[in-house]
Every structure is written in C-alpha cells, then in structure tokens.
Amino acid sequence: MKRVFSILAIAGVSMSANAAVVLQSDAGAEAPKGFHQVLKEYFIAGTPEFMGIVLVCLILGLAICIERIIYLNMATTNSKKLIASVEDALASGGVEAAKEVCRNTKGPVASIFYQGLDRADEGIDSAEKAVVAYGGVQMGQLEKNVSWISLFIAIAPMLGFMGTVIGMILAFKKISAAGGLDASLIAADIQVALLTTVFGLIVAIILQIFYNYIIAKIDSIVNDMEDASISLIDILASNKK
C-alpha cells in the first residue's frame, strides 16, 4: 500500500511541476500556480455538466476502494500463528479449546477454521465440506463491491469521450452557422472536449491502480485461506488417528 501512495505522490508532484512550468511560460512574469489551483481552473473550464459526472465516478470509486482496502487489511491474518495455536489447543483442550481460539481471532481464515472444527465430530469429510462451503462465502465477502470499481473505471473514460464528441459537435455547429472557420469561435468548445477526455482518463488511471492493488490483496488472502484450510484438515486427520 505504501508503494501505491508513493507512486501517486510522485505522479502528483511531477504533474504539479509540469503545470507550473507551462503556466509560467504562458504568463511571463506571473507567479506559478499550485497544482490544485490549475486543476480547479481546468475543471471549471470543462463545464460542470460533464466534469461533475466524472468527479462523481472518482468520489464513489475512491470511497469503495478505501472501504475495500480497510476491510482487506483487517481480514489479513497470520495463518501460521493461528494454525500453531489451533494445533496446540486441540492437543491440550480438544475441539472446544480450538474453537475458542478461532472465536478470539479476526479474519476469514479463523472463521473457516471455526466452521471446520464445528463439524469435526461428524468426521473429516463433513469438516472438509464445511471448510470448502464457508470458504466460498468468505471469498464472496472479500470480493464484495469490487465490480463497482471496474464499472467506474470503464464509465469515466466513456463519459470523457462523450463530452469530447458533444464538444466537437457544438464546434462544428458553430462553424456551420458562421459560414467559415474561426479559431476563436470554436476554441471554447474544443477545450471542453479535450478536458473531459483528459479528466475521464485520469479518473480511470487512479481507480485502476487501486483496483489492481485490491485484486492482488484478495488473491493473496484467498491463497492463504486455501493453504490454511488444507493444514486444518491435515491436523484434524492426524488427531483422529
């Protein structure tokens, strides 16, 4: 996660520096503006009708990303330590002691362990089925709302392109009404067209970075769940002998 924020910070600093250089070259002696001021001016220039929708996609997408990242970090468990604690509890206090260890441990791995231990008295096959079934439930919880992030990643550039198309239509409409090509007449419409595309792509890029991190985190937790589940079944099998 620290690497993600580091990349975003470096990108923000680079964009800020580039924007300041452009403004300084255009305005001569005028003092360079901050990145947030430049971003605000460009956002207003893009008109609220198009930029507002793109901004909503960014806000909602980031909200879901932050919620998922917090949930996934809380769901991360030290599986090796849990397996050792469960094995010791089984050896010293039996199934109930092992279930108590799982109750006092947060995360999907502990929940899966609890379901398997709860069916341990019915045999290894019943415990394994319970682990597999509840593992699917926990996987669904990990992937909750992730599809919305991919939706916003797809929608944001589309909205930007739609603004581009509409801006170009208005520009050509003005050219047709004027009966000739005048750059000052269509400059505003072309600016709107280009800015909506740029902001749509920026939103998609930001959300894509978080989306890839979330998917990688989910895959890591799922692999950990599968390995831990196999270890639990092996422990239960060895205790039945």
Side-chain angles (χ1 to χ4, degrees):
M1 187 59 191
K2 292 181 179 179
R3 291 183 179 178
V4 174
F5 285 116
S6 298
I7 292 171
L8 291 177
I10 294 171
V13 171
S14 301
M15 292 175 67
S16 177
N18 292 335
V21 170
V22 171
L23 285 172
Q24 191 171 14
S25 61
D26 291 341
E30 185 180 351
K33 299 179 182 179
F35 176 68
H36 67 285
Q37 292 177 327
V38 176
L39 194 64
K40 180 180 178 181
E41 289 179 0
Y42 283 152
F43 181 85
I44 295 173
T47 69
E49 290 82 3
F50 299 110
M51 306 295 280
I53 302 175
V54 176
L55 180 61
V56 169
C57 290
L58 177 61
I59 293 173
L60 293 178
L62 285 178
I64 296 174
C65 287
I66 293 171
E67 184 273 333
R68 283 293 88 191
I69 290 172
I70 293 173
Y71 179 85
L72 293 174
N73 285 330
M74 293 178 65
T76 304
T77 308
N78 189 340
S79 299
K80 292 183 179 179
K81 182 178 179 181
L82 177 61
I83 292 170
S85 299
V86 168
E87 190 171 11
D88 293 340
L90 277 172
S92 59
V95 174
E96 290 301 322
K99 287 167 66 176
E100 185 65 25
V101 171
C102 295
R103 273 194 292 263
N104 295 329
T105 306
K106 295 181 180 180
V109 176
S111 299
I112 292 171
F113 275 25
Y114 184 87
Q115 296 297 322
L117 291 167
D118 197 39
R119 301 290 190 279
D121 294 338
E122 300 174 10
I124 300 299
D125 291 338
S126 296
E128 186 174 0
K129 289 179 181 178
V131 166
V132 172
Y134 202 70
V137 174
Q138 290 298 318
M139 189 181 302
Q141 292 293 325
L142 295 174
E143 296 175 348
K144 184 179 179 181
N145 294 330
V146 173
S147 60
W148 286 103
I149 303 175
S150 60
L151 176 64
F152 291 132
I153 292 172
I155 286 179
M158 291 181 183
L159 292 172
F161 293 145
M162 184 175 69
T164 298
V165 173
I166 294 175
M168 296 304 294
I169 290 173
L170 294 175
F172 282 110
K173 185 177 179 180
K174 288 184 179 180
I175 293 173
S176 177
L181 180 60
D182 185 357
S184 63
L185 185 67
I186 62 173
D189 293 324
I190 293 177
Q191 183 184 33
V192 171
L194 296 177
L195 286 175
T196 53
T197 299
V198 169
F199 273 84
L201 292 173
I202 290 173
V203 169
I205 290 170
I206 293 172
L207 294 180
Q208 186 69 56
I209 293 172
F210 283 102
Y211 177 79
N212 286 355
Y213 171 80
I214 290 170
I215 293 299
K217 188 71 173 177
I218 290 173
D219 290 341
S220 176
I221 294 175
V222 169
N223 290 334
D224 192 36
M225 286 165 48
E226 292 175 350
D227 292 340
S229 299
I230 294 172
S231 299
L232 175 65
I233 299 302
D234 291 341
I235 292 171
L236 291 176
S238 62
N239 278 274
K240 286 291 183 181
K241 295 179 182 180

